[in-house]
């Protein structure tokens, strides 16, 4: 196994305003597999091409937004090592027992980031009951429903002290910086994209006055054709589209931004280059950020930097 340390962003728990409406949307429109309901009424989902027990949990609440996202690490030993280094770095960290609030998950550590977000680190997750085939595998077992996303891909976090959260991601968790968008002063960073593996990104962090905000969380599709088909299904289902179909300059991914029924911004993401840790960092100056995010229109829409949950 050449990928060490953090394997991927593997999990996210989000708040929604109406659970029944959200289940209908994430299951029937996005095409995620409904896994199960927890004892306290949260609902778990996974993409059809994912092996872990689940990758999305929804919790009904008065406000939409992020509860926390999880990063899967390579082993229980590395998990303990990261916990030690996280405490030494000065962040609040708390152990979450195995098989507690996230069924199927082993021991986790909840970490409070300087940007006001919680992330969880974990190394063990049960194999999903309905996982991709392992012997003479077909491309899927059950034809995917709706948009048919294959799995969870990444999230963009907004908060203050982004520099410190990025430093934690690189210095403690060993993530690589893939691309940077500079702030107007040309010195500080506006946004930093990071990965723990071969993907173009697992997480991005943008400097923002309010703590703990999420701009979007993204699901994978295979191709530009799938992005086009997703746009068709969004119109058919009256999904509110924010931007796209389009391409990002950053990561080169093909994309649509849109909103779930609670106002959380979603993305479907295809393409994007393969990252290798010896690649130099690509940098966008502030005057070219529009092109970096919206490669074809080359200007950000008004909602992009202001609407968050
Ligand atoms: Fe994204």
């Amino acid at each position: 196994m050449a990928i060490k340390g953090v394997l991927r962003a593997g999990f996210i728990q989000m708040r929604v305003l109406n659970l029944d409406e959200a289940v209908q949307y994430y299951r029937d429109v996005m095409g995620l597999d409904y896994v199960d309901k927890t004892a306290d009424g949260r609902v778990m989902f996974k993409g059809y091409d994912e092996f872990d027990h689940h990758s999305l949990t929804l919790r009904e609440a008065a406000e939409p937004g992020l509860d926390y996202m999880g990063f899967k690490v390579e082993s229980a030993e590395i998990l303990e090592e990261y916990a030690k280094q996280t405490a030494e770095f000065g962040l609040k960290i708390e152990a979450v027992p195995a098989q507690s609030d996230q069924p199927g998950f082993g021991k986790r550590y909840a970490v409070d980031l300087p940007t006001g977000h919680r992330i969880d680190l974990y190394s063990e997750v049960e194999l999903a009951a309905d996982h991709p085939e392992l012997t003479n595998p077909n491309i899927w077992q059950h034809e995917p429903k709706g948009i048919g996303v294959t799995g969870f891909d990444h999230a963009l976090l907004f908060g203050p002290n982004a520099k410190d959260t990025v430093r934690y991601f690189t210095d403690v968790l060993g993530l690589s910086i893939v691309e940077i968008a500079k702030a107007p002063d040309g010195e500080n960073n506006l946004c930093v994209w990071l990965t723990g593996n071969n993907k173009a990104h697992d997480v991005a962090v943008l400097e923002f006055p309010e703590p703990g905000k999420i701009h979007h969380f993204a699901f994978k599709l295979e191709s530009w054709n799938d992005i086009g088909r997703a746009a068709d299904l969004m119109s058919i289902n009256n999904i509110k589209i924010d931007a796209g179909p389009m391409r990002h300059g950053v990561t080169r991914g093909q994309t649509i931004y849109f909103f779930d029924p609670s106002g959380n911004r979603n993305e479907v993401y295809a393409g994007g280059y393969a990252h290798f840790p010896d690649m130099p960092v690509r940098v966008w100056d502030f005057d070219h950020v529009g092109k970096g995010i919206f490669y074809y229109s080359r200007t950000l829409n008004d909602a992009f930097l202001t609407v968050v949950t």
Side-chain angles (χ1 to χ4, degrees), residues 102-208:
Q102 298 295 340
F105 278 60
K107 180 182 183 182
R108 297 168 6 239
Y109 281 104
V111 178
D112 288 348
L113 297 177
T115 36
H117 304 87
R118 166 181 160 183
I119 61 161
D120 280 18
L121 305 173
Y122 60 95
S123 61
E124 284 165 10
V125 188
E126 283 174 13
L127 188 63
D130 196 7
H131 59 77
E133 293 172 322
L134 298 176
T135 306
N136 308 320
N138 282 304
I139 55 169
W140 57 61
Q141 290 200 65
H142 320 290
E143 187 176 350
K145 279 190 290 188
I147 290 170
V149 296
T150 66
F152 173 54
D153 193 73
H154 67 268
L156 170 53
L157 309 178
F158 273 35
N161 314 305
K163 195 177 176 179
D164 296 328
T165 287
V166 169
R167 195 161 56 84
Y168 171 70
F169 280 150
T170 56
D171 294 5
V172 176
L173 300 186
L175 300 188
S176 302
I177 294 178
V178 177
E179 304 210 26
I180 293 172
K182 301 303 283 188
D185 65 11
E187 291 296 321
N188 291 298
N189 296 332
L190 172 68
C191 190
V192 177
W193 288 262
L194 304 112
T195 186
N197 50 62
N198 206 216
K199 286 160 52 185
H201 59 332
D202 280 304
V203 65
V205 187
L206 189 139
E207 181 67 29
F208 191 70

Side-chain angles (χ1 to χ4, degrees), residues 153-156 193 201 204 215-218 248 251 255 257 267 269:
D153 193 73
H154 67 268
L156 170 53
W193 288 262
H201 59 332
H215 182 271
H216 67 269
F217 60 110
H248 291 308
T251 77
T255 173
Y257 288 126
E267 179 184 17
Y269 179 90

Side-chain angles (χ1 to χ4, degrees), residues 48-70:
Y48 74 84
D49 210 23
E50 293 179 307
F51 288 96
D52 284 351
H53 187 272
H54 62 278
S55 59
L56 170 67
T57 302
L58 300 179
R59 176 171 75 85
E60 190 168 274
E63 299 283 338
L66 173 74
D67 276 342
Y68 49 95
M69 71 182 290

Side-chain angles (χ1 to χ4, degrees), residues 14-38 40-46 56-61 145-147 149 217 219 237 239 259-264 266:
M14 294 293 300
R15 298 184 299 271
V16 295
L17 300 177
N18 180 312
L19 194 58
D20 290 340
E21 192 180 38
V23 166
Q24 191 272 329
Y25 166 85
Y26 282 99
R27 182 192 58 201
D28 301 340
V29 181
M30 295 297 283
L32 291 166
D33 292 340
Y34 181 103
V35 174
D36 207 353
K37 209 166 196 173
T38 61
D40 62 358
R42 289 166 298 128
V43 173
M44 299 167 279
F45 295 91
K46 65 177 282 294
L56 170 67
T57 302
L58 300 179
R59 176 171 75 85
E60 190 168 274
K145 279 190 290 188
I147 290 170
V149 296
F217 60 110
F219 297 96
N237 288 283
I239 303 301
F259 293 97
D260 80 0
S262 303
N264 292 304
N266 288 157

